[in-house]
């Protein structure tokens, strides 16, 4: 197989909210990463301004423990099918579409693989996270 050279660092960024849609995107990313010898970085974003902004430090720490446990479960599922993929994970706070683009730039990612619910209702006016990421990247 011919190697594909890119100016990036062979990292596939996969934003996850642990929904079925994001898990589905993760398995697509894993298949892609296995074909191109890329690593995967899972990114979970705690949206600022939401209900989590009212949590104190101890409750945020508890939430992060839960997120890390979910990361571990996802990593285990991926490793069962693709044992040679390197998987990293990050937890960030902020506006999802902005954080995704910032992290992709910081890590010099080759690609971003994420699910989208498609346009419906209010999203037609203000846009979904996926469409905002596409516009900004």
């Amino acid at each position: 197989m011919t190697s594909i050279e890119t100016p990036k660092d062979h990292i596939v960024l996969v934003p996850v909210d642990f929904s079925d849609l994001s898990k589905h995107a993760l398995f697509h990313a894993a298949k892609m990463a296995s074909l191109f010898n890329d690593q995967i970085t899972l990114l979970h974003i705690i949206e600022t301004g939401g209900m989590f902004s009212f949590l104190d430090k101890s409750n945020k720490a508890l939430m992060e423990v839960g997120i890390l446990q979910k990361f571990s479960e996802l990593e285990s599922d991926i490793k069962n099918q693709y044992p040679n993929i390197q998987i990293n994970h990050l937890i960030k706070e902020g506006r999802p579409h902005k954080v995704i683009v910032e992290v992709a730039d910081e890590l010099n990612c080759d690609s971003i693989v994420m699910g989208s619910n498609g346009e419906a209702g209010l999203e037609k006016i203000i846009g979904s996270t996926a469409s905002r990421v596409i516009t900004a990247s």
Side-chain angles (χ1 to χ4, degrees):
M1 176 181 226
T2 304
S3 175
I4 297 175
E5 295 297 321
T6 69
K8 301 291 184 176
D9 289 336
H10 297 280
I11 299 170
V12 179
L13 181 63
V14 186
V16 293
D17 60 5
F18 308 109
S19 67
D20 288 340
L21 196 61
S22 72
K23 289 177 189 175
H24 189 69
L26 173 57
F27 277 91
H28 279 288
K31 185 172 186 173
M32 186 174 79
S34 72
L35 291 172
F36 295 105
N37 199 27
D38 288 345
Q39 59 181 283
I40 291 176
T41 296
L42 303 176
L43 171 64
H44 182 77
I45 302 160
I46 301 168
E47 190 164 2
T48 53
M51 65 180 197
F52 298 114
S53 62
F54 298 107
L55 295 177
D56 61 19
K57 286 184 181 183
S58 63
N59 284 323
K60 281 187 180 182
L62 271 175
M63 185 173 61
E64 286 188 11
V65 167
I67 293 167
L68 292 172
Q69 177 61 37
K70 288 184 177 190
F71 275 153
S72 179
E73 292 167 9
L74 288 176
E75 290 174 27
S76 178
D77 292 343
I78 294 299
K79 291 281 190 177
N80 284 336
Q81 289 186 26
Y82 305 99
N84 297 324
I85 293 178
Q86 180 182 339
I87 302 173
N88 306 301
H89 56 267
L90 294 169
I91 301 171
K92 297 279 188 176
E93 289 187 35
R95 303 275 306 184
H97 66 282
K98 290 181 179 181
V99 173
I100 292 166
V101 173
E102 289 168 3
V103 169
D105 286 341
E106 287 170 13
L107 298 179
N108 204 25
C109 294
D110 286 332
S111 54
I112 303 168
V113 178
M114 60 188 291
S116 172
N117 286 324
E119 289 188 3
L122 190 58
E123 286 182 9
K124 288 183 182 178
I125 299 167
I126 62 169
S128 70
T129 299
S131 66
R132 288 179 179 181
V133 168
I134 291 167
T135 303
S137 55

